[in-house]
Each structure stands twice: as structure tokens, then as C-alpha cells.
Amino acid sequence: EVQLVESGGGMVQPGGSLRLSCVASGFTFDDYAMSWVRQAPGKGLEWVSSVYSHISKSYYADSVKGRFTLSTEKVKNTVNLQMNSLKSGDTAVYYCAKIAVVGGLEYFEVWGQGTLVTVSS
């Protein structure tokens, strides 16, 4: 069974840091692109970042560029999101997602359960 499990969320003050982790099972995540997507309270889904391990490329939304960093741990089948200089606008449920490609189009095929990040003083 393909499964994604996130962890690492919590409450932090503005300017603080958190590290989210997503453990994948049921597939070798290194063969697929992985993403982080977030949903702020009362708002829609927002793409945050993606990593394409097979080409060693990572991409970030402008809203998090320079503050968030993706990393992968192949042995642990884990993708991490290091979040620094957090702002209140980063408050959201963060989801890990596995990307699939069909007909040249990408979509989020599998989602984790999400982990809540709250940035507040």
C-alpha cells in the first residue's frame, strides 16, 4: 500500500523554524517527484515546493523561496521541509504529496494526512 506520513508540525513564534518530515512507504520515492502543499485556514490549497530526485532539482513557491529548503533521505524514503524565518502567513496544514505524470501532465496522486503548522506569538 502506498502511504505518506507527515510529522514535525507544531506551534512556533514568528521568526522561528520547524522541520517537517514525510515518510513514504509502498514505493521508492526517489523514482518519483514529491511535493509539499499547504492549506491555510479558510483558504484553498497552495503549492509550496517540489523535488525531482532523478534530476536533482527542487522548486519553491515565491512565498517561501529563500526560507524553506527541501531535502531527501534516500535510505529512509523520507523527504524533509526545513522552514526558517516563519511568518504568520505560513500557518497552515502542510501535506506531502506524490506526483504522478499522465500524458505529460502532473498531478498529486497520493496525499499524506497533513501536519498543522501554527505561527503565532
Side-chain angles (χ1 to χ4, degrees):
E1 178 187 5
V2 175
Q3 193 173 15
L4 301 171
V5 178
E6 302 99 332
S7 63
M11 180 175 286
V12 64
Q13 292 185 342
S17 298
L18 278 177
R19 185 173 184 251
L20 306 184
S21 294
C22 171
V23 179
S25 59
F27 69 101
T28 303
F29 85 97
D30 207 28
D31 295 336
Y32 296 87
M34 299 292 294
S35 290
W36 286 94
V37 180
R38 67 186 181 185
Q39 185 169 29
K43 297 189 177 181
L45 293 170
E46 177 189 15
W47 170 76
V48 174
S49 181
S50 294
V51 58
Y52 296 77
S53 297
H54 62 293
I55 56 172
S56 300
K57 292 283 189 182
S58 297
Y59 301 93
Y60 301 90
D62 288 343
S63 58
V64 307
K65 200 172 294 183
R67 300 187 298 122
F68 290 13
T69 305
L70 266 177
S71 64
T72 59
E73 298 178 69
K74 297 180 182 180
V75 173
K76 296 181 180 180
N77 230 27
T78 297
V79 56
N80 303 305
L81 183 68
Q82 178 66 41
M83 307 186 296
N84 299 328
S85 303
L86 284 162
K87 308 173 182 179
S88 58
D90 295 318
T91 294
V93 176
Y94 284 72
Y95 298 93
C96 176
K98 172 180 174 285
I99 293 174
V101 181
V102 176
L105 297 177
E106 295 184 344
Y107 69 100
F108 299 122
E109 179 186 34
V110 181
W111 294 78
Q113 84 286 354
T115 185
L116 176 63
V117 172
T118 303
V119 184
S120 175
S121 56

